[in-house]
Amino acid sequence: MPIITGAKVVVTCPGRNFVTLKIETDQGIYGLGDATLNGRELAVASYLQDHVIPCLVGRDAHRIEDIWQFLYRGAYWRRGPVTMSAIAAVDTALWDIKAKIAGLPLYQLLGGASRQGVMVYGHANGADIDATIDSARDYQQQGYRAIRLQSGVPGLASAYGVSKDKYFYEPADGDLPRENQWSTERYLRSVPELFERARGVLGNDVHLLHDAHHRLSPIEAGRLGRDLEPYRPFWLEDPTPAENQAGFRIIRQHTTTPIAVGEVFNSIWDCKQLIEEQLIDYIRTTVVHAGGITHLRRIADFAALHDVRTGCHGATDLSPVCMGAALHFDLSVPNFGVQEYMRHTPETDAVFPHAYSFADGYLHPGEEPGIGVDIDEAAAAKYPYRRAYLPVNRLEDGTMFNW
Ligand code: KDG
Ligand code: MG
């Protein structure tokens, strides 16, 4: 049995911050896990270094479930994004080790491929509707079968999801939180027009998605969903903050637009009512923020009982290590829906060499043993940590609002 001999946390900032756990074994095989929590990176690094790694040394790396239960059930303080990202990193690294020892790509250990590739959605955005549609056409020409549309809102100086760069969007862009402005009224007027025009230009064969980024009340979300119905969106994401899961009943009473939620969830308990009552259609929890492969499979199996499919978060703050692991999960899970894919910068790709690749609208995790993602520690050392925050949001009268 492979014994854990040590582990270390690598923090690097090749354009943005990433936290990576590397677990080593006495067999010379190591595993990697992503532990990046946007804007709170060092909290997870400390949790791992100071509280988790000392408990790992000497354990059998094959006992993934037992180590997961030790870190979750064994701890008095359960759940929360910091704890669950740390557990996720350990879990992912252990699956990486197990698959490397087996000499198989991870998806083979998860039951094998259920499909030929993982349909991904790209991010089309622009300062106005014309620019967003141009960007979407570009994605369509590259072969994307699913595209998220986000556009600047007339009257607002900046909007969530609109990047300065053509391909690379990085919302965590201030060493202290920048302040954005928000108006639900202006936003609700502009999105249906975006979708009407986009459907006209892009046709019916491409899936169109939209992220409301927790900005609406349930009844406002119901109205937006209803207004978008003629353009058949694949999903409306994060329509409203989900602390009050029962609030989603109101959305369901008003629209048949499919609802996706959960990129900020960290455990099955965050989505229990949403799934049980079939208040959502896609669950967006992913490997790094929801307890790793082990817990994500548990969520997906529970979701399958209620006709909810997966739609893993895949923004740039999820490192290539998370993306690689997510793709093995996506390829194998029966109730797969779609995978978000925001390309990383060339600097990030150089720090994390990986086997996954894009073709014809699909990503494939590749056939390398393990998760197929490595870290070049010498390259990582060239990019020291830089504090970076997501912005905050205020209404036009100065009231703090949801980001
Ligand atoms: O860390 C926050 C980002 O990942 C988030 O703002 C991106 O909403 C997002 C998405 O759907 O990718
Ligand atoms: Mg989102």
Side-chain angles (χ1 to χ4, degrees):
M1 63 185 182
I3 299 295
I4 298 174
T5 51
K8 66 172 155 183
V9 179
V10 181
V11 180
T12 181
C13 186
R16 71 145 6 269
N17 292 311
F18 295 109
V19 180
T20 308
L21 177 70
K22 181 173 186 176
I23 297 182
E24 276 151 355
T25 65
D26 63 350
Q27 301 195 356
I29 287 178
Y30 62 86
L32 298 180
D34 183 20
T36 309
L37 185 61
N38 205 359
R40 300 291 183 270
E41 293 87 358
L42 299 185
V44 188
S46 161
Y47 192 102
L48 283 166
Q49 253 147 11
D50 299 327
H51 306 296
V52 172
I53 291 175
C55 305
L56 293 178
V57 176
R59 285 178 192 273
D60 175 1
H62 271 331
R63 295 186 62 181
I64 299 177
E65 184 66 45
D66 184 64
I67 292 176
W68 197 96
Q69 297 295 339
F70 174 86
L71 294 172
Y72 180 88
R73 193 179 289 263
Y76 191 56
W77 310 108
R78 293 185 186 187
R79 303 163 60 194
V82 174
T83 297
M84 296 306 282
S85 299
I87 294 177
V90 174
D91 185 78
T92 310
L94 295 180
W95 277 107
D96 193 22
I97 290 168
K98 195 185 275 295
K100 282 176 177 168
I101 290 175
L104 292 169
L106 174 59
Y107 74 83
Q108 295 291 12
L109 270 57
L110 304 179
S114 292
R115 53 197 56 81
Q116 287 153 12
V118 172
M119 183 174 76
V120 295
Y121 68 89
H123 281 217
N125 61 78
D128 56 25
I129 291 177
D130 286 337
T132 302
I133 292 175
D134 281 353
S135 165
R137 289 181 68 174
D138 184 17
Y139 276 97
Q140 204 176 19
Q141 278 155 12
Q142 291 173 47
Y144 281 79
R145 296 157 189 271
I147 303 170
R148 188 183 95 159
L149 303 176
Q150 305 292 141
S151 171
V153 176
L156 294 182
S158 61
Y160 159 75
V162 178
S163 61
K164 297 175 196 112
D165 186 276
K166 186 167 174 213
Y167 291 126
F168 303 113
Y169 173 51
E170 186 43 74
D173 60 358
D175 78 326
L176 288 174
R178 284 188 308 103
E179 297 214 344
N180 282 359
Q181 200 186 43
W182 180 251
S183 158
T184 300
E185 297 73 21
R186 293 180 195 275
Y187 165 81
L188 286 180
R189 283 200 296 271
S190 73
V191 184
E193 188 189 340
L194 168 67
F195 268 72
E196 181 184 8
R197 291 191 39 209
R199 217 14 121 195
V201 173
L202 303 170
N204 288 321
D205 289 340
V206 61
H207 298 302
L208 299 179
L209 298 78
H210 181 71
D211 187 353
H213 223 248
H214 314 114
R215 307 283 167 92
L216 306 175
S217 68
I219 196 69
E220 289 164 348
R223 191 176 121 208
L224 178 59
R226 198 190 54 199
D227 288 352
L228 293 180
E229 279 171 23
Y231 318 112
R232 297 170 305 287
F234 185 89
W235 78 31
L236 173 61
E237 174 186 339
D238 285 344
T240 193
E243 284 98 325
N244 177 16
Q245 298 183 35
F248 280 69
R249 291 178 185 150
I250 296 172
I251 305 177
R252 276 293 204 232
Q253 285 158 12
H254 293 279
T255 182
T256 57
T257 289
I259 302 297
V261 76
E263 67 181 53
V264 299
F265 294 174
N266 52 73
S267 94
I268 200 164
W269 301 100
D270 295 328
C271 45
K272 182 170 178 289
Q273 186 178 5
L274 290 172
I275 290 174
E276 258 170 5
E277 293 189 25
Q278 296 187 205
L279 300 176
I280 59 172
D281 302 280
Y282 296 92
I283 180 70
R284 285 194 32 80
T285 43
T286 193
V287 178
V288 55
H289 298 139
I293 294 281
T294 296
H295 196 61
L296 200 57
R297 290 177 89 194
R298 211 144 276 156
I299 294 174
D301 282 345
F302 175 52
L305 298 179
H306 301 278
D307 282 324
V308 175
R309 290 188 278 165
T310 66
C312 290
H313 188 202
T316 45
D317 50 298
L318 287 73
S319 92
V321 176
C322 176
M323 179 57 80
L327 291 172
H328 288 277
F329 167 80
D330 294 334
L331 197 68
S332 61
V333 69
N335 50 326
F336 170 74
V338 72
Q339 166 70 52
E340 181 179 16
Y341 177 42
M342 276 171 93
R343 272 171 285 194
H344 289 109
T345 60
E347 292 79 12
T348 297
D349 285 341
V351 170
F352 296 100
H354 51 259
Y356 61 80
S357 59
F358 175 87
D360 203 22
Y362 300 104
L363 274 172
H364 194 282
E367 299 296 338
E368 277 185 22
I371 60 174
V373 183
D374 207 348
I375 186 164
D376 178 338
E377 290 185 59
K382 285 193 264 170
Y383 303 105
Y385 168 79
R386 275 202 326 258
R387 193 178 63 203
Y389 284 99
L390 289 166
V392 296
N393 232 355
R394 289 189 189 274
L395 300 181
E396 289 172 294
D397 69 358
T399 307
M400 273 304 300
F401 201 58
N402 312 324
W403 172 257

